[in-house]
Amino acid sequence: MKIAVIGGGSSYTPELIEGFINHYWELPVSEIYLVDIEQGKEKLEIVGNLARRMVENANVPITINMTLDRRKAIEQADFVTTQIRVGLLEARVRDEQIPLAFNLIGQETTGAGGFAKALRTIPVILDICKEIEELAPDAHLLNFTNPAGIVTEAVLKYSNVKTIGLCNLPIGTKMRIAQLYDVNPEHVEFEMIGINHLVWTTKIMVEGKNVTDDVLKKASYTKGITVRNVPDFGWDPLFLKSLGALPCSYHKYYYMPNQMLQDQMKAMKGGEIRAKVVKKIEDELFELYQESNLKVKPKQLELRGGAYYSEAAVNLMTSIYNNKKDIQVVNVQNKGILPCLPINCSIEINCLIDKEGARPIQPSENLPTQIRGLLQIVKAYEELTIEAAVRGDVDMALQALSIHPLVGADVAQPLLAKILNENRRYLPQFN
Amino acid sequence: MKIAVIGGGSSYTPELIEGFINHYWELPVSEIYLVDIEQGKEKLEIVGNLARRMVENANVPITINMTLDRRKAIEQADFVTTQIRVGLLEARVRDEQIPLAFNLIGQETTGAGGFAKALRTIPVILDICKEIEELAPDAHLLNFTNPAGIVTEAVLKYSNVKTIGLCNLPIGTKMRIAQLYDVNPEHVEFEMIGINHLVWTTKIMVEGKNVTDDVLKKASYTKGITVRNVPDFGWDPLFLKSLGALPCSYHKYYYMPNQMLQDQMKAMKGGEIRAKVVKKIEDELFELYQESNLKVKPKQLELRGGAYYSEAAVNLMTSIYNNKKDIQVVNVQNKGILPCLPINCSIEINCLIDKEGARPIQPSENLPTQIRGLLQIVKAYEELTIEAAVRGDVDMALQALSIHPLVGADVAQPLLAKILNENRRYLPQFN
Amino acid sequence: MKIAVIGGGSSYTPELIEGFINHYWELPVSEIYLVDIEQGKEKLEIVGNLARRMVENANVPITINMTLDRRKAIEQADFVTTQIRVGLLEARVRDEQIPLAFNLIGQETTGAGGFAKALRTIPVILDICKEIEELAPDAHLLNFTNPAGIVTEAVLKYSNVKTIGLCNLPIGTKMRIAQLYDVNPEHVEFEMIGINHLVWTTKIMVEGKNVTDDVLKKASYTKGITVRNVPDFGWDPLFLKSLGALPCSYHKYYYMPNQMLQDQMKAMKGGEIRAKVVKKIEDELFELYQESNLKVKPKQLELRGGAYYSEAAVNLMTSIYNNKKDIQVVNVQNKGILPCLPINCSIEINCLIDKEGARPIQPSENLPTQIRGLLQIVKAYEELTIEAAVRGDVDMALQALSIHPLVGADVAQPLLAKILNENRRYLPQFN
Amino acid sequence: MKIAVIGGGSSYTPELIEGFINHYWELPVSEIYLVDIEQGKEKLEIVGNLARRMVENANVPITINMTLDRRKAIEQADFVTTQIRVGLLEARVRDEQIPLAFNLIGQETTGAGGFAKALRTIPVILDICKEIEELAPDAHLLNFTNPAGIVTEAVLKYSNVKTIGLCNLPIGTKMRIAQLYDVNPEHVEFEMIGINHLVWTTKIMVEGKNVTDDVLKKASYTKGITVRNVPDFGWDPLFLKSLGALPCSYHKYYYMPNQMLQDQMKAMKGGEIRAKVVKKIEDELFELYQESNLKVKPKQLELRGGAYYSEAAVNLMTSIYNNKKDIQVVNVQNKGILPCLPINCSIEINCLIDKEGARPIQPSENLPTQIRGLLQIVKAYEELTIEAAVRGDVDMALQALSIHPLVGADVAQPLLAKILNENRRYLPQFN
């Protein structure tokens, strides 16, 4: 079995390698190709060498290959994963800072920052897909690249590659609920419905008992039910009760925009926007990765925000490979399962995973109206963003920002101008 | 033919009477019942007497009846119109001021103000509908009462009365386009799609020629394509081009919230919020109405904001009565004509008007994504508001405000508390 | 204004010419191109000369052109009409006789006969459409060619031509109802819903009064509410009552298959299948058309079955040309107006006709279940037939016949073999 | 855990008891209530005593209760199963014979026979549901009563009981495919889509390999892929290839009506219609059941046609009880998973089974057009039948028969008259 890891020089890679090592008994990977671009060559080598030490240390017969030749990596792969960052962390710094200059949330995946990242990323991903269509038409593409929902939808709409979008948020939520109830995560079941980074947990069962209302009470004021990338303000109990579902971490940008913006402003003034924090962590990680006696994934990687990533990714591959028919929350094409959203958009939802990929399971209840409305407008933003990215269409880009609940038409024009200008070299489609 | 005008003491009534007079030849109304509540008795008498003088002066055989007995007015009516204001203009003052105290748009129909008005109005309208069901089951209810789309939807969902929601905005838009091109309004055709006070004109034909793009250019920076209730800032040309449709006046609250809010703040500081301006105009109007030598609708009424109301209302009744099969933009049940919205919600759209009422005509193009997203979230707000109003459900009320693009979850709780508190005596369903 | 009449040598053409003459005052046609194929040359000349005499006699300045050069006829036409018969009347004889040999209804448009005609016709029509796209991209294609619903759907799916499918059945129904009530046809309104030759009249208003139930009673046992092409058995009153809508003439094949089959069998034994009757009428008509003193449409044409064709066609062109916004029952794309049918299929329904073409008006009631079921299976047959015709796909052809209510899987294979074999030279797509 | 078996005197009951015995280790049933009506008292006692001997012989602590008091049986049950036969086998004889007198397929569940059974059964089932709502509101109703899809839909539409419709056909199909490939049934996976007794297997995987096309080849001419109730004619290979899916046994009535009818006619002449065969088998079975040394399910029961019934039933209860999250093909509410069918109808489809019941999994492919059409018309028939049964509406009954592909409007009236007349005492709703 061959795995191609596009963006193999990422600091997350050791996480992934650990996953392959731990699950080798059920997912007998023989070859992993870590591929990256010229600018990432140095990091690729550092990470690749660590991966080799990890594999050797674990005594599993996985060959680690490092290459700059993407076609070679993709050829005949069984699984392709993407964890690329077009424009590197510098671009992320801009994604977070530009919106703040307009008094708007600056975030890697949500709002104007995620918009800019989508414009840069979609053309590159679609190029990768063309190669997969040619060189590995049966491969499953597991897309981790953010904004994962938008990128996955672009692939579903503009390529024939079998793709599933993946995020660590669902598995993270399961882990936190397991902690809340002090049970094994296996005894936590839930229904998540929505789109990537805007997904509601509408029903939670612990040891077979419906504890949704109880979790909503427990989640109030409680910190910790959140991913590490997002500041941790507690939810208001009346709000949660009226919502009737557990929001995800990224919902805070929509439901507590003022507080989140103030927090970001403060961080920016302190020079501590998330991108810079991450950059610092990454620098330290790569320092660490170079130590030749490091032969396992270092603990420090968890600070990076990608907890359970390898778990999510390797679980998915394992279920596909072994035709497991278990349930995982992933990003797939809607095809009518959420009738309030377009038939061909991507959604994040409980799916049955088998040899053929992922198929949604019908939710037990209709979507509450309050969820539906927010979901629909953000999905409309996502569709406009994809069209703008694929066609290089400024009108659609402007409308995408104009209707986004965290941006708005008031500010969309100068903001778009700045985004297009500062990302110029990564946006050939707009030139 | 008998007409019942609920809220007959309204300052708008002379407008309506004028319409009946002018169209008497094709709409032979024999009896008009102006009905109002005890508190409106004085105004009712003033308006009713003016109406009698108008009818007499015009020499048409219409009998004007004034009554506080709503059942008597409704009994066997052919058409019932509602132009009520639960809580009178004082309530409107609060609707506009409360949101401003939270730094939010304060508007009679849009945002938190319209929300408060809906909570007060829906139970009263549904009471009226029960009487219509009993006393005039074949009557058409023409609802002008704002928020007209929400109120109409409540009637469609919770009664069996034949109802059509009516607004003067579509006819006003037609008049302005006719002015722009210096043509007879009859030579202007358009497609309007959306919901009340959030309706886009997606296609404009003047003398049979598609001039949509040209209107979008002309509408840029131009003042005057707006209703009198909404401040008149010009649209940005790039924004209009990217939108690809002409927004309505009320869109400015969504597309230019900052500018609109600043304008309102300034007005409030100057003591000139719209409700107070209107109150002053109304006081002057009623002064005027009492002059016994006034026998026609006074010019000053046009300042009030209801231009073309009688036109819209009487046109609609005339087309129904005469089975005219012409096209008018009114509020009706969706029934699938806009597949992106719920089957049973109200929409504002081009309809064929005949003896049976109004039926939508399929739009020539699918809704652009940018329109769809905003429409969907505001409709979700509307549905939550209706459920909150009918059931007295605080959770739904909280979520309605939380997802409204002009309010938000950040501020919804204290805002809701204040709205419920200050409207206490008009909201028995919440007690 | 230029009209291209493809299949101009048809015996129907004088009907059409009469229409253009009568409506010249509101539809100022300057040039009519009658175009036909080499084999039809002689008839084309006969018909063309009659047309010239008719025009001259009526003293209208319309130029009649006859040509075998289809491109020349189409170039810059404003309207293109098609009334072609691939394989001529000989093919129709086969279409009617082949099914009878399998003990099945043999009919030009319904069942296996219509299926064969569709296979022959669709490729030719799509070729014509390619020429229209190239030479007259703004032209409206008015398709009369049977099976008109299937052919129109093929055009809607596989070309960009603006097209409307047209049948004389709706206007014929209106005329018969007018006769029943002895009123001017203008005072008859109805809602027709369905697909071509399978269309139900669900609501009938005469002089503004709903007379649906009364028409159903009157239609029972009554002859005459039918087109001339279909034998005239009276409807059973209990059946009509339970159906709750007036079926069309072609419904008899579905609702009275035994009686219809027996009638056809008897006719066949007497050598009087419809195709042969028609052939005889046509021979006589062309005899007549050659008489140089014939300068108007001869009465005998009405026996042919095409009554009101010119009315329907010229009405449609007139309404488009004059942006009339009246209501006509034509075949257009569904686009969701009948949610039980595919979004992109053709339906026959009340439409508003204006300069841009035809747009459906939402029916007043949801489709009754009994109508929905039959409609859906016949539409599925139609879709399979179109795919079979376009792709030359034998599997789809076999399934089309298998699910048709008047054919069935029992007999589909030998029947299909015979159809493909006997139409070999007109079905290049299957070779 | 308490199980109520309505119609407990059925000859199938030992099958069910065997299932409970075999699965006792994972489904710890403590009490089984066999309940029947007065006329079934004798059979109930025979079956109940056998059940007691079986349980005792197997040494499992299950108490068998026999009662004529349905309320007592239902009270606080965890699962209720229904296997009733309103009118007993005598009614089935009529269901099969009446249609044959009209030259139509006479079958217990399909066509006019199933229609009559539905009219008799639905009111009784809805009465049972009222008792469940009152006495065991948390119980799952597993409905085996035929026509199972129609009966289940009636329950879903007209009660609040949690219900799942169950048939042995899916599990039987799995067993036959396992035999074909000589593998353990666990290694067979498939997607079944449709409605009860009209369900297509669209995708078949054996040991993880897609063998759909291969099964279609193997199924051609092969006998044995069928349930015992339906004559076993081989499928035509070209037909199967063009269909692209494996039909179920009952499809033969739709796809080979002539052959099936001839077979039935022959059987009738020989006095061997299925109902009589079954009656004879049943008489023999009850003879056997009385032997006091019989302590296990007798082999002969398999001839009866209910093979795998206990398997299907106990599997379903076990998965619900143990929150197994495995996949079973059952009858549930559509809720949009098959967009071509009404939202609230019943469908038979792959479902995930957990503590809450059954939820559909999205099929991997859209339904082929040829499947869609037949499915839609039969579903329309089913809906009309349910409405007719619930309301006692003769018009809907007439239309139900008129559009059924195996009946038709030609013959519907006298047929309906005969059905209503001969079932008079079981159809109070029509009196």
Side-chain angles (χ1 to χ4, degrees), chain A residues 132 139 181 199:
Chain A
I132 299 176
Y181 286 87
V199 63

Side-chain angles (χ1 to χ4, degrees), chain A residues 236-244 254-259 339-342 369-374 376-377 379-381 383-384 394-396 398-400 402-403 405 408-411 413, chain B residues 236-244 254-259 339-342 369-374 376-377 379-381 383-384 394-396 398-400 402-403 405 408-411 413:
Chain A
D236 179 274
L238 288 180
F239 178 75
L240 282 193
K241 174 178 171 289
S242 70
L243 179 60
Y254 295 92
Y255 290 143
M256 310 180 187
N258 296 338
Q259 217 174 330
C340 68
L341 293 182
T369 309
Q370 57 270 33
I371 288 182
R372 198 188 72 213
L374 184 51
Q376 288 175 320
I377 196 166
K379 177 50 76 184
Y381 147 79
E383 291 188 283
L384 288 165
V394 177
D395 285 340
M396 283 183 156
L398 182 57
Q399 286 296 320
S402 294
I403 67 164
D410 257 342
V411 70
Q413 281 194 54
Chain B
D236 179 274
L238 289 179
F239 177 75
L240 283 193
K241 174 178 170 287
S242 71
L243 179 59
Y254 295 91
Y255 290 142
M256 310 180 187
N258 296 338
Q259 217 173 332
C340 68
L341 293 182
T369 308
Q370 56 270 32
I371 288 182
R372 200 187 72 214
L374 184 52
Q376 288 175 321
I377 196 165
K379 178 49 77 184
Y381 147 79
E383 292 189 282
L384 289 164
V394 177
D395 285 340
M396 283 185 158
L398 182 56
Q399 286 296 320
S402 294
I403 67 164
D410 257 341
V411 70
Q413 281 194 53

Side-chain angles (χ1 to χ4, degrees), chain C residues 236-244 254-259 339-342 369-377 379-381 383-384 394-396 398-400 402-403 405 408-411 413, chain D residues 236-244 254-259 339-342 369-377 379-381 383-384 394-396 398-400 402-403 405 408-411 413:
Chain C
D236 178 275
L238 290 179
F239 178 75
L240 282 193
K241 174 178 171 288
S242 70
L243 179 60
Y254 295 92
Y255 290 142
M256 311 179 187
N258 295 338
Q259 217 173 332
C340 67
L341 293 183
T369 310
Q370 56 270 33
I371 288 182
R372 199 188 74 213
L374 183 52
L375 198 54
Q376 289 175 320
I377 196 166
K379 179 49 78 183
Y381 146 79
E383 291 188 283
L384 289 165
V394 177
D395 285 341
M396 284 183 157
L398 182 57
Q399 286 296 320
S402 294
I403 67 165
D410 257 341
V411 69
Q413 282 194 53
Chain D
D236 178 274
L238 288 180
F239 177 75
L240 283 193
K241 174 178 172 286
S242 70
L243 179 60
Y254 295 92
Y255 291 142
M256 311 180 188
N258 295 337
Q259 217 174 331
C340 67
L341 293 183
T369 309
Q370 56 268 33
I371 288 182
R372 200 188 72 214
L374 183 52
L375 197 54
Q376 289 175 320
I377 197 166
K379 178 51 77 184
Y381 147 79
E383 292 189 282
L384 288 165
V394 177
D395 285 340
M396 283 184 158
L398 182 56
Q399 286 296 320
S402 294
I403 67 165
D410 258 341
V411 70
Q413 281 195 52

Side-chain angles (χ1 to χ4, degrees), chain C residues 263-281:
Chain C
D263 186 80
Q264 290 196 335
M265 287 297 187
K266 215 178 101 193
M268 187 173 62
K269 278 168 195 155
E272 287 180 332
I273 64 166
R274 181 74 194 156
K276 291 191 177 169
V277 172
V278 163
K279 207 159 178 310
K280 193 154 154 274
I281 297 172

